[in-house]
Amino acid sequence: MGKRLPKAELLEEIGVERSRLDALLEPLTPRQMTQAGATLAGWSVKDILGHLIGWQQMNLDWYAAGLRGETPEMPAPGLTWRDIRKLNERIYRKHCRRSLKAVLTDYRAFHQKMLDLIEEAPDRDFTAVGRLAWTGPTWTLSDYVRANTASHYRWACKHIRKWLRAQTKIRIHRRR
């Protein structure tokens, strides 16, 4: 949890971080985007995007369940917050065999769905603790949305930049 942001500030931060991530992705070729090794777990850039999609989809599902008066199983059915590695592995397996085109389409679509959620939800839901039952006693909607957008975009950028630097070093080393 970080600084709880009202909608306007949250949208601004998300826009900045998404632009940084898109700028990193723009020059990458399809081969680069599907090459393993962008994370220590061996994920490709495409797999990183699949990870973002998975978490955004869960965030949207939690919110929708809350609107229906339901309490979603958090973070996922049968898992607790201590099971994040297992959950991330499930997300990876769900997206790793999908085509790059399909993942890129969802990368754009789920980002837009998150922006739509922000636009549609009342301002008070973003910064008031306890406003939404599913967010628990210490987190707000702003905390969840921020974690699954801006913060996750920063995380993705960090891994992609590190991987790109390593690729540059490998090319330089091979030329010698």
Side-chain angles (χ1 to χ4, degrees), residues 20 27 29 41 52 56 85 116 118 153 160 167 171 176:
R20 288 178 179 154
T29 66
L52 300 178
Q56 289 176 354
R85 286 183 184 204
D116 293 345
I118 296 167
Y153 296 158
I160 295 168
Q167 297 304 304
R171 282 192 297 272
R176 291 183 183 175

Side-chain angles (χ1 to χ4, degrees), residues 2-150:
K3 178 183 170 197
R4 293 186 173 104
L5 299 176
K7 286 169 67 165
E9 289 178 46
L10 182 60
L11 286 167
E12 183 178 341
E13 182 182 16
I14 291 168
V16 166
E17 298 304 333
R18 179 60 180 235
S19 293
R20 288 178 179 154
L21 178 53
D22 287 344
L24 276 176
L25 298 175
E26 196 274 324
L28 298 180
T29 66
R31 183 175 179 184
Q32 287 174 307
M33 292 191 80
T34 56
Q35 180 182 340
T39 69
L40 291 176
W43 295 359
S44 67
V45 171
K46 178 188 74 117
D47 298 329
I48 290 172
L49 300 181
H51 178 83
L52 300 178
I53 293 163
W55 277 95
Q56 289 176 354
Q57 183 172 24
M58 285 188 300
N59 198 148
L60 292 161
D61 291 346
W62 300 329
Y63 185 74
L67 290 179
R68 293 188 304 268
E70 301 168 3
T71 303
E73 287 187 63
M74 305 274 296
L79 298 177
T80 69
W81 290 109
R82 291 187 186 113
D83 300 318
I84 294 298
R85 286 183 184 204
K86 187 183 287 187
L87 178 55
N88 286 337
E89 180 63 23
R90 282 185 189 176
I91 294 168
Y92 166 77
R93 282 183 303 199
K94 179 179 178 180
H95 295 282
C96 71
R97 289 188 176 91
R98 295 179 67 215
S99 72
L100 175 59
K101 181 179 180 180
V103 168
L104 288 172
T105 297
D106 279 353
Y107 168 71
R108 290 184 287 274
F110 277 92
H111 173 73
Q112 186 57 53
K113 288 177 184 184
M114 292 298 287
L115 296 179
D116 293 345
L117 180 156
I118 296 167
E119 291 295 336
E120 293 167 7
D123 288 330
R124 63 189 178 278
D125 288 356
F126 283 88
T127 56
V129 174
R131 178 96 179 108
L132 304 170
W134 67 269
T135 62
T138 59
W139 276 48
T140 66
L141 181 57
S142 177
D143 296 327
Y144 278 97
V145 169
R146 192 173 190 218
N148 292 305
T149 55

